[in-house]
Amino acid sequence: MTYLNTPTSSGFRPPAVPDVDVHGFWGERIDAVADKTVMILYDRCVAAGMFDQIDPDRPVPELRLPYHLRSDGSPDTVNVQMFWDSDVAKVIEAAAYVLYRKPNPDLEAKVDAIIDMFYRLQLPDGYLNSWFIRMQPGKRWLNLRDHHELYCAGHLIEAAVAYFHATGKRRLLDVMCRYADHIDQTFGPQPVQKPGYCGHEEIELALIRLGRATGEQRYLDLARFFIEQRGQQPHYFDEEAAARGADPKQFRHRTYEYNQSHLPVRQQTKVIGHAVRAMYLYSGMADVATEFGDNSLTDALKVLWDDLTTKQMYVTGGIGPAASNEGFTDYYDLPNHNAYAETCAAVGLVMWASRMLGRGPDRLYADIMEQALYNGALSGLAADGATFFYDNPLESNGSHHRWTWHRCPCCPPNIARTVASIGSYMYGVSSDELAVHLYGDSTARLALGSTAVTIAQRTDYPWDGRIALTVGVDAPAAFRLALRVPGWCGQARLSIDGEVIDVAAVEDKGYLRIDRLWQGGERVVLDLPMDVRALHANPAVRADIGRVALARGPMIYCAEEIDNGGELHSLILTGDVSEADTASIEGLDKAVAINVKAKREVWRDWQGKLYDTGEPTLKDTTARFLPYFLWDNREPGEMLVWVRAQK
Amino acid sequence: MTYLNTPTSSGFRPPAVPDVDVHGFWGERIDAVADKTVMILYDRCVAAGMFDQIDPDRPVPELRLPYHLRSDGSPDTVNVQMFWDSDVAKVIEAAAYVLYRKPNPDLEAKVDAIIDMFYRLQLPDGYLNSWFIRMQPGKRWLNLRDHHELYCAGHLIEAAVAYFHATGKRRLLDVMCRYADHIDQTFGPQPVQKPGYCGHEEIELALIRLGRATGEQRYLDLARFFIEQRGQQPHYFDEEAAARGADPKQFRHRTYEYNQSHLPVRQQTKVIGHAVRAMYLYSGMADVATEFGDNSLTDALKVLWDDLTTKQMYVTGGIGPAASNEGFTDYYDLPNHNAYAETCAAVGLVMWASRMLGRGPDRLYADIMEQALYNGALSGLAADGATFFYDNPLESNGSHHRWTWHRCPCCPPNIARTVASIGSYMYGVSSDELAVHLYGDSTARLALGSTAVTIAQRTDYPWDGRIALTVGVDAPAAFRLALRVPGWCGQARLSIDGEVIDVAAVEDKGYLRIDRLWQGGERVVLDLPMDVRALHANPAVRADIGRVALARGPMIYCAEEIDNGGELHSLILTGDVSEADTASIEGLDKAVAINVKAKREVWRDWQGKLYDTGEPTLKDTTARFLPYFLWDNREPGEMLVWVRAQK
């Protein structure tokens, strides 16, 4: 197989995580993951019996195990899942990032023991999947559509790369290279190979990561192969179903739109199907576009990006409104109360957005990355790192609360690994340009080609819009520094060593691009005004008509019962939000609340009636809003993002 | 078994259907059922293969049959259903009412042929159920919880009574009396009997109907037995499951709340579970309360009535918001767009309400009967009688349309039989009082004890509130005439032979009660002002906050795209509805539309954005509303009941 394009070095890639020390807002969140979440994740894997499935020296487990994690403490059972390798992999990956942050010999020993299980489990030919080695031996690669084998491989590859970067230990990386080589032999265009691809995308982006970490071109090529094969005719999922004697039409999800294999990827124009699958596919496509400089792939992705972000995305960056397919429905169908908006899907959008930046800095992508990150993704993790949201509605009658765990435990380790690796989303580096996509108190050591650069950010972002960056170089170096000015920001101000820069003159695609011979020690100060904004939804979004959502900086806000009393739907914003006050929130550190004058419907005595001609009366009140991601961290109660507005 | 109460003659009962000739609004609807619906129902029974199951002289059918009723005409299959006897029974019942209305030898011959099938099918011991005689012989009465046997029997009994009244033919009535006798022997408190009851209520109200028609007390007693047994411990459904070797806990619907057997009926205080089941149970309870003068049962029903109508009912009288259990959820959970609100459930509410009037005239029940009848029930039948709604949402984005049929074909014959028997809901008669519950152009021949009375109503109700009644008696007779004044009505006016009556002086529970020695020929004129009303929902109903529903007389109104253009959610009612105009609707006969001044959000160019700080602007417009039950009878499009309001 030949490709039109060859790998390119002009793309922007994220730095390896260990190169960014994160403090401030994200530092606290990583500490919560390091101090609490990771051990919770590990313990839950133990409780769910995952290691009984993986460890080849233990008895093969039953398909149904006792499980003791109901909120009321009552005994329960759990089905052994064929995708558990992936959940364990995400735990290893999250552990890797926190081990880089602070030593934890106990955790490291536990992870080493898991890695040893996989090492012992791996078959001589390199194959490695606990389900098809232990639970259903002899069934490997028979049902790529449903069986998550390559998906599990992908997550283990990501874990291997992260653990190698964090600890320098190669064992899992070597195991996964052997497995990747086996996959590379198994799948491909040759007659002896399978021309297939996974029903749950993930292997593609993982192979790119492995290729970048090892320098092995064949992993990049294999990622590209999977992308190119997807949706081709004759359809692989039809053929493999027929080969195993099954009716291809008897697919539980009915249409291959569910796993985005209904068309070759370049012909896809609508974001459709299972949301996480879609995000992982587009992430892999974007990575391939970056590595191979593939403009046709980038063009296809731009169409999909527009489709998602202008017709199918919650204001929180949450995506996939429906529980039935864990995914997309009709355009503008964005119900608030029963929004599915899975944490993993918002994480997936962050991943896709970050990879769209591989073709160069562009606010179109970075703004959405930030929006999804601070809102629909981060809401999945409690402030103390101990509990989780799986679905992230934008309205609750008080019945929606964080889980200690979930039967499909994909989200907790996914948001944990994302938070713990936040440094890799903050920067993009090419050979001659350094882009700052996200702001946050941190110190990064980056390499532009052979030039080592440090960027120290001192800021209270996202609570305050002033960011002071100090550029460090070993010797004077010429490169472009690109600083994102978010679209939500009014007039940004920039100075370097006190000299005011004409922002309009240097802005391109929402980035301030400063070409300069850097001497080292330059102090770059960026001010991003953070006014409170009242956002309206496109009126095609029926659920939000007549309502506004408050925002400040990258944060979307919500009202909670603890601050406003119940019946939040009786609140009406009538005034101008530019007169809103900000305030701190007790018990939530530096988080900034918004107080705004409002009206409230007075609930007269309805005398037991359900419908009546009497009109409501209004009284003055002050409504308090807090960042959406922080809801359900104090007293449980109602929550509302889209509040009625009337002028 | 002994009961505290004995059958009573003080209750109010409906007249037999043939005693009311219906004209005007309902007359047209009955004609549509007679001229079109009934033959459609029959043809669909044929197409679905129902008679192949019932006719003992045909080969036993396969479990899956070809079926050709997809809207696109493509071939399909249908599962044979164990409850098909009930659907055929409802078709017979509807046919009976229309045969009374106008002769139809072809239809009558068809029904006689069906009855002949049941006659030939019946076993020597009286048992009669096509599924358990033909499809699963030897399995009778093993699973009352799930198998609908007594439910099917109940509908066949109702059909038998109706067909006897309409045609004077006793064959089906005799068949069903034999079956009822078999049931009476099978179920009861004796050790050789089963202390069970049906998982889908219906037999109870049917036995009351059979008892009234035949004068046989044992049918009333058996109805009462089933009511009294429900929910008793040890739980019958647990015991029968264990007896057939099944785990009682493995119940698909998890809790016996689903079929209202979680508690003995007098201990039930929350309307819960499957909506149709609940309505049929309460209907049977109300009938038993009437027949036995059972005040404790009536008291229990009053609690349930209050629970349903003040916390769980749509403004259309639709009930059961959730598709998942075809039933009830949380209080005030009344979503509009995805309302289930099954036609059968609204029909069931009409049935329950009419039976609550068995203890005496009371607007509390009659108003809701009318509300559910004209709105949530009647919406299930197209104006031409040819198509049907199964679920009745209060808002549609244009994708909800009437079916030619439904896989679970319960609703079409249910609304058809209700419309065709509307006369039986209009009046209640006790030994010395005649109550007019519903108004409509008609002539009724009623019996108060031995006194024959005719009531001729001349009116354009429900489009106009003036009703002129003429009372006819063979000889002067003293009785009370009770005329309902609906709660939606402002100041009613009443005159008899031109003499104005002081309404306040004679009103009791919303009925004007006129005690008089009637000479015959008296002209009673009632004026019920029909102002347009803007209804607000109790603010606990989140879905309706900030919105109003327009109403006039018994009709709830909605806006349709054909009259108002699309994007109905951008409409805002700002004015006073007392200034609304009424108008006729082209192609919809005498139906009254409402025109009201409103605002409309101007949809500026959003330039592909989904969220933005720009504020909407409003322009003046006139919005047109039509009766909810008439929607989706013209051009398909959007529909909205609860419209935004702002003052």
Side-chain angles (χ1 to χ4, degrees):
Chain A
M1 170 169 264
T2 56
Y3 292 114
L4 286 174
N5 300 304
T6 50
T8 172
S9 64
S10 70
F12 281 72
R13 296 176 183 79
V17 176
D19 298 334
V20 186
D21 297 326
V22 182
H23 315 289
F25 177 90
W26 286 108
E28 289 167 22
R29 259 123 212 114
I30 301 176
D31 283 338
V33 171
D35 298 339
K36 193 164 261 182
T37 315
V38 161
M39 277 311 296
I40 288 173
L41 299 180
Y42 176 83
D43 290 342
R44 300 289 150 76
C45 291
V46 172
M50 293 184 188
F51 302 127
D52 296 329
Q53 177 177 312
I54 294 165
D55 189 341
D57 293 341
R58 302 189 199 182
V60 174
E62 298 293 320
L63 281 177
R64 226 176 153 74
L65 301 172
Y67 195 56
H68 300 281
L69 284 163
R70 275 198 181 157
S71 55
D72 62 359
S74 64
D76 196 1
T77 59
V78 63
N79 287 318
V80 174
Q81 298 284 3
M82 57 174 58
F83 51 76
W84 272 355
D85 285 1
S86 71
D87 295 310
V88 171
K90 277 184 277 188
V91 176
I92 296 173
E93 188 183 345
Y97 302 135
V98 305
L99 284 176
Y100 170 76
R101 185 169 184 81
K102 50 177 94 173
N104 185 335
D106 175 55
L107 176 64
E108 189 166 341
K110 284 184 164 61
V111 174
D112 285 340
I114 303 170
I115 290 171
D116 188 62
M117 292 177 204
F118 281 112
Y119 175 80
R120 286 181 281 118
L121 182 68
Q122 188 168 39
L123 298 184
D125 65 359
Y127 184 80
L128 178 60
N129 179 294
S130 67
W131 183 271
F132 290 100
I133 291 175
R134 307 246 298 151
M135 310 299 290
Q136 288 199 306
K139 301 267 187 188
R140 70 162 95 161
W141 309 134
L142 292 184
N143 184 349
L144 297 183
R145 187 188 68 190
D146 303 323
H147 283 177
H148 292 79
E149 270 168 295
L150 289 168
Y151 168 82
C152 285
H155 274 300
L156 279 168
I157 287 170
E158 288 205 85
V161 172
Y163 200 68
F164 169 66
H165 280 311
T167 65
K169 294 179 180 174
R170 292 195 57 98
R171 194 175 206 189
L172 186 58
L173 187 65
D174 290 341
V175 163
M176 293 315 298
C177 284
R178 282 198 294 277
Y179 189 19
D181 292 340
H182 170 79
I183 293 169
D184 191 35
Q185 289 156 17
T186 305
F187 295 91
Q190 303 302 326
V192 295
Q193 292 177 302
K194 294 176 188 291
Y197 45 89
C198 194
H200 195 317
E201 305 90 329
E202 156 68 21
I203 186 69
E204 302 84 355
L205 70 90
L207 286 167
I208 296 292
R209 211 169 158 184
L210 186 64
R212 286 174 178 169
T214 61
E216 294 289 352
Q217 178 66 33
R218 66 178 181 279
Y219 299 140
L220 306 182
D221 290 340
L222 182 57
R224 195 182 198 196
F225 170 80
F226 285 135
I227 296 286
E228 298 289 344
Q229 277 302 109
R230 196 165 204 90
Q232 300 290 351
Q233 293 293 344
H235 202 287
Y236 185 79
F237 296 157
D238 284 345
E239 306 253 302
E240 67 160 10
R244 63 175 188 269
D247 177 3
K249 301 287 173 229
Q250 295 299 314
F251 175 40
R252 188 159 70 95
H253 302 285
R254 288 182 35 239
T255 154
Y256 292 148
E257 290 175 341
Y258 176 75
N259 53 36
Q260 299 83 38
S261 70
H262 55 301
L263 288 171
V265 297
R266 284 181 190 75
Q267 294 174 35
Q268 297 189 28
T269 57
K270 185 174 191 304
V271 172
I272 205 162
H274 185 269
V276 177
R277 281 173 164 82
M279 295 305 107
Y280 285 16
L281 168 62
Y282 309 149
S283 295
M285 286 165 66
D287 276 343
V288 168
T290 298
E291 290 303 329
F292 293 85
D294 187 333
N295 293 332
S296 66
L297 214 44
T298 298
D299 289 345
L301 287 168
K302 285 179 178 174
V303 172
L304 292 165
W305 182 266
D306 182 72
D307 187 80
L308 176 68
T309 58
T310 69
K311 298 188 189 75
Q312 305 202 68
M313 186 185 75
Y314 285 101
V315 73
T316 54
I319 53 173
S324 57
N325 65 342
E326 299 191 306
F328 300 100
T329 57
D330 296 330
Y331 286 155
Y332 305 111
D333 175 33
L334 296 165
N336 292 306
H337 177 63
N338 53 342
Y340 196 65
E342 185 184 336
T343 301
C344 278
V347 166
L349 177 54
V350 172
M351 289 163 55
W352 180 24
S354 74
R355 284 160 169 86
M356 289 303 283
L357 297 168
R359 303 310 300 276
D362 190 336
R363 181 164 75 191
L364 190 65
Y365 308 112
D367 278 7
I368 298 281
M369 174 169 75
E370 184 178 55
Q371 189 173 354
L373 180 65
Y374 277 105
N375 300 287
L378 195 51
S379 57
L381 185 68
D384 67 359
T387 54
F388 313 94
F389 277 141
Y390 190 92
D391 44 334
N392 295 273
L394 281 75
E395 177 176 348
S396 171
N397 62 6
S399 63
H400 189 74
H401 300 296
R402 294 174 187 278
W403 297 67
T404 51
W405 195 240
H406 198 279
R407 263 158 201 280
C408 178
C410 51
C411 294
N414 217 359
I415 183 60
R417 71 175 179 141
T418 304
V419 166
S421 64
I422 192 67
S424 67
Y425 295 91
M426 295 174 75
Y427 298 94
V429 274
S430 71
S431 55
D432 57 358
E433 183 167 352
L434 192 165
V436 188
H437 301 312
L438 297 175
Y439 300 106
D441 203 83
S442 58
T443 302
R445 292 166 296 279
L446 307 162
L448 282 74
S450 58
T451 307
V453 183
T454 61
I455 300 287
Q457 293 192 44
R458 294 295 163 262
T459 179
D460 278 332
Y461 197 93
W463 305 124
D464 183 81
R466 184 181 184 86
I467 305 119
L469 302 95
T470 305
V471 178
V473 286
D474 294 337
F479 61 88
R480 175 182 283 178
L481 179 68
L483 303 173
R484 181 174 67 99
V485 175
W488 49 256
C489 170
Q491 184 55 54
R493 290 183 300 277
L494 177 70
S495 68
I496 302 181
D497 288 338
E499 180 197 349
V500 175
I501 308 289
D502 178 1
V503 164
V506 297
E507 183 177 331
D508 180 26
K509 294 183 180 173
Y511 280 72
L512 308 182
R513 292 174 136 172
I514 306 150
D515 291 299
R516 191 171 174 120
L517 180 68
W518 300 90
Q519 305 293 332
E522 284 92 341
R523 183 175 161 83
V524 181
V525 178
L526 181 64
D527 265 302
L528 305 173
M530 283 191 176
D531 299 324
V532 175
R533 292 147 16 236
L535 297 176
H536 296 260
N538 187 311
V541 183
R542 282 156 203 278
D544 301 337
I545 196 87
R547 296 171 183 251
V548 297
L550 297 191
R552 180 176 179 276
M555 297 293 187
I556 301 300
Y557 278 70
C558 68
E560 268 201 299
E561 183 172 347
I562 183 175
D563 299 313
N564 298 285
E567 315 301 354
L568 294 172
H569 55 297
S570 66
L571 280 178
I572 304 172
L573 297 188
T574 51
D576 191 334
V577 294
S578 66
E579 295 167 11
D581 298 323
T582 55
S584 63
I585 307 170
E586 197 181 343
L588 290 173
D589 196 47
K590 291 182 178 176
V592 171
I594 297 172
N595 295 331
V596 59
K597 288 196 193 322
K599 303 275 189 189
R600 191 172 187 114
E601 276 192 15
V602 178
W603 287 31
R604 62 181 170 79
D605 179 6
W606 274 69
Q607 300 178 314
K609 286 186 187 173
L610 196 45
Y611 306 104
D612 192 10
T613 52
E615 295 186 4
T617 55
L618 304 179
K619 68 173 180 183
D620 290 326
T621 187
T622 298
R624 161 164 285 205
F625 292 79
L626 87 163
Y628 170 75
F629 86 89
L630 282 173
W631 87 276
D632 200 36
N633 271 297
R634 298 171 296 162
E635 289 290 308
E638 294 180 25
M639 183 277 293
L640 188 62
V641 170
W642 288 100
V643 181
R644 294 163 61 200
Q646 190 168 313
K647 283 212 172 172
Chain B
M1 168 169 265
T2 57
Y3 292 114
L4 285 175
N5 302 304
T6 50
T8 170
S9 65
S10 70
F12 281 72
R13 296 175 183 79
V17 176
D19 297 335
V20 186
D21 297 328
V22 182
H23 315 288
F25 177 91
W26 286 108
E28 289 168 21
R29 259 121 212 113
I30 301 176
D31 283 339
V33 171
D35 298 339
K36 194 163 261 183
T37 315
V38 161
M39 276 312 296
I40 289 174
L41 298 181
Y42 176 83
D43 289 343
R44 301 289 151 77
C45 289
V46 172
M50 292 185 189
F51 302 127
D52 296 329
Q53 177 176 313
I54 293 165
D55 189 341
D57 294 341
R58 302 189 199 183
V60 173
E62 298 292 320
L63 281 177
R64 226 174 153 75
L65 301 173
Y67 195 56
H68 300 280
L69 285 162
R70 275 198 181 159
S71 55
D72 62 359
S74 63
D76 195 1
T77 58
V78 64
N79 287 319
V80 175
Q81 297 285 3
M82 57 173 59
F83 50 76
W84 272 356
D85 285 0
S86 72
D87 294 310
V88 171
K90 277 183 279 188
V91 175
I92 297 174
E93 189 183 345
Y97 303 136
V98 305
L99 285 176
Y100 170 77
R101 185 169 185 81
K102 51 178 92 172
N104 184 335
D106 175 54
L107 176 65
E108 188 166 341
K110 284 184 165 60
V111 174
D112 285 339
I114 303 171
I115 289 171
D116 189 61
M117 292 178 204
F118 281 113
Y119 175 79
R120 285 180 282 115
L121 181 67
Q122 187 168 37
L123 299 185
D125 65 359
Y127 183 81
L128 179 60
N129 179 294
S130 67
W131 183 271
F132 289 100
I133 291 175
R134 306 245 301 150
M135 309 299 290
Q136 287 199 306
K139 300 268 187 188
R140 70 163 93 160
W141 307 136
L142 292 184
N143 184 350
L144 298 183
R145 188 189 68 191
D146 303 324
H147 284 176
H148 293 77
E149 270 168 295
L150 290 167
Y151 168 82
C152 285
H155 274 300
L156 279 168
I157 288 170
E158 288 205 85
V161 172
Y163 200 68
F164 169 67
H165 280 312
T167 64
K169 294 180 181 174
R170 293 196 55 99
R171 194 176 207 190
L172 186 58
L173 187 65
D174 290 340
V175 164
M176 292 316 297
C177 283
R178 281 198 296 276
Y179 190 17
D181 291 340
H182 170 78
I183 294 169
D184 191 35
Q185 288 157 17
T186 306
F187 294 91
Q190 303 302 327
V192 297
Q193 293 176 301
K194 294 176 188 292
Y197 44 89
C198 194
H200 195 317
E201 303 90 329
E202 156 69 21
I203 186 69
E204 302 83 356
L205 69 89
L207 285 167
I208 296 292
R209 209 168 160 186
L210 186 63
R212 286 175 179 168
T214 60
E216 294 289 350
Q217 177 66 32
R218 65 178 181 279
Y219 300 141
L220 307 182
D221 290 339
L222 182 57
R224 194 182 200 195
F225 169 80
F226 285 135
I227 296 287
E228 297 289 345
Q229 277 302 107
R230 195 165 204 90
Q232 300 291 352
Q233 293 294 344
H235 202 287
Y236 185 79
F237 295 157
D238 283 346
E239 305 252 305
E240 67 161 10
R244 64 175 188 269
D247 177 3
K249 302 287 172 227
Q250 294 301 313
F251 175 40
R252 188 160 69 96
H253 302 285
R254 287 181 40 238
T255 154
Y256 292 149
E257 290 174 342
Y258 176 76
N259 54 35
Q260 301 82 38
S261 71
H262 55 300
L263 286 172
V265 295
R266 285 181 188 76
Q267 294 173 35
Q268 297 189 27
T269 57
K270 185 175 190 306
V271 172
I272 204 161
H274 185 269
V276 177
R277 282 173 164 81
M279 294 304 106
Y280 285 15
L281 168 62
Y282 309 149
S283 294
M285 286 166 65
D287 275 343
V288 168
T290 298
E291 290 303 329
F292 293 85
D294 188 332
N295 293 332
S296 66
L297 214 44
T298 299
D299 289 346
L301 288 167
K302 286 178 177 173
V303 172
L304 292 165
W305 183 267
D306 182 73
D307 187 80
L308 176 68
T309 59
T310 69
K311 299 187 189 75
Q312 305 201 69
M313 186 184 75
Y314 285 101
V315 73
T316 55
I319 52 173
S324 57
N325 65 343
E326 298 191 305
F328 299 100
T329 57
D330 296 330
Y331 287 154
Y332 305 112
D333 174 33
L334 296 164
N336 292 305
H337 178 62
N338 53 342
Y340 196 65
E342 185 184 335
T343 300
C344 279
V347 166
L349 177 54
V350 172
M351 290 164 55
W352 180 24
S354 74
R355 284 159 169 87
M356 290 303 282
L357 297 167
R359 303 309 301 275
D362 189 335
R363 181 164 77 191
L364 189 65
Y365 308 113
D367 278 8
I368 298 283
M369 174 169 75
E370 186 178 56
Q371 189 173 353
L373 180 65
Y374 278 105
N375 301 287
L378 195 51
S379 57
L381 185 68
D384 67 359
T387 53
F388 313 93
F389 277 141
Y390 190 93
D391 44 333
N392 295 274
L394 282 76
E395 177 176 349
S396 171
N397 62 6
S399 63
H400 189 74
H401 300 296
R402 295 174 188 278
W403 296 69
T404 51
W405 195 240
H406 198 280
R407 262 155 203 281
C408 179
C410 51
C411 294
N414 217 359
I415 183 61
R417 71 175 180 140
T418 303
V419 166
S421 63
I422 192 69
S424 67
Y425 295 92
M426 295 175 74
Y427 298 95
V429 275
S430 72
S431 54
D432 56 359
E433 182 167 354
L434 192 164
V436 188
H437 301 312
L438 297 176
Y439 300 107
D441 203 83
S442 58
T443 302
R445 291 167 297 279
L446 308 162
L448 284 74
S450 57
T451 307
V453 182
T454 61
I455 301 287
Q457 293 191 45
R458 294 295 163 261
T459 180
D460 277 332
Y461 197 92
W463 305 123
D464 183 81
R466 184 180 182 88
I467 304 119
L469 301 96
T470 305
V471 178
V473 287
D474 294 335
F479 60 88
R480 174 182 284 178
L481 179 68
L483 303 173
R484 182 173 66 100
V485 176
W488 49 256
C489 171
Q491 183 56 54
R493 290 183 302 276
L494 177 70
S495 69
I496 301 181
D497 287 338
E499 179 197 351
V500 174
I501 308 290
D502 178 1
V503 163
V506 297
E507 183 177 330
D508 180 27
K509 293 182 180 172
Y511 280 71
L512 308 182
R513 292 175 135 169
I514 306 150
D515 291 299
R516 190 169 174 123
L517 181 68
W518 300 91
Q519 304 292 332
E522 285 91 342
R523 182 174 161 83
V524 180
V525 178
L526 181 64
D527 265 303
L528 305 173
M530 282 192 177
D531 299 325
V532 175
R533 290 145 21 235
L535 297 176
H536 296 259
N538 187 311
V541 183
R542 282 158 203 276
D544 301 337
I545 197 89
R547 295 170 183 252
V548 297
L550 296 190
R552 181 177 178 275
M555 298 293 188
I556 302 300
Y557 278 70
C558 68
E560 268 200 299
E561 183 172 348
I562 183 175
D563 300 312
N564 298 284
E567 314 301 354
L568 294 173
H569 55 296
S570 64
L571 281 179
I572 305 172
L573 298 188
T574 52
D576 191 334
V577 294
S578 67
E579 294 166 10
D581 297 324
T582 56
S584 62
I585 307 171
E586 196 182 343
L588 290 174
D589 197 47
K590 292 183 177 174
V592 171
I594 297 171
N595 295 332
V596 59
K597 288 197 193 322
K599 302 276 189 188
R600 191 172 187 114
E601 276 191 16
V602 178
W603 287 30
R604 62 181 169 80
D605 180 6
W606 275 68
Q607 300 179 315
K609 286 187 188 173
L610 196 44
Y611 306 104
D612 191 11
T613 51
E615 293 186 4
T617 56
L618 304 179
K619 68 174 179 184
D620 291 327
T621 187
T622 299
R624 162 163 284 205
F625 292 78
L626 88 163
Y628 170 75
F629 86 91
L630 282 173
W631 87 276
D632 199 37
N633 271 297
R634 298 171 296 161
E635 289 291 308
E638 294 180 26
M639 182 278 293
L640 188 63
V641 171
W642 288 99
V643 180
R644 294 163 62 200
Q646 191 168 312
K647 283 212 171 171

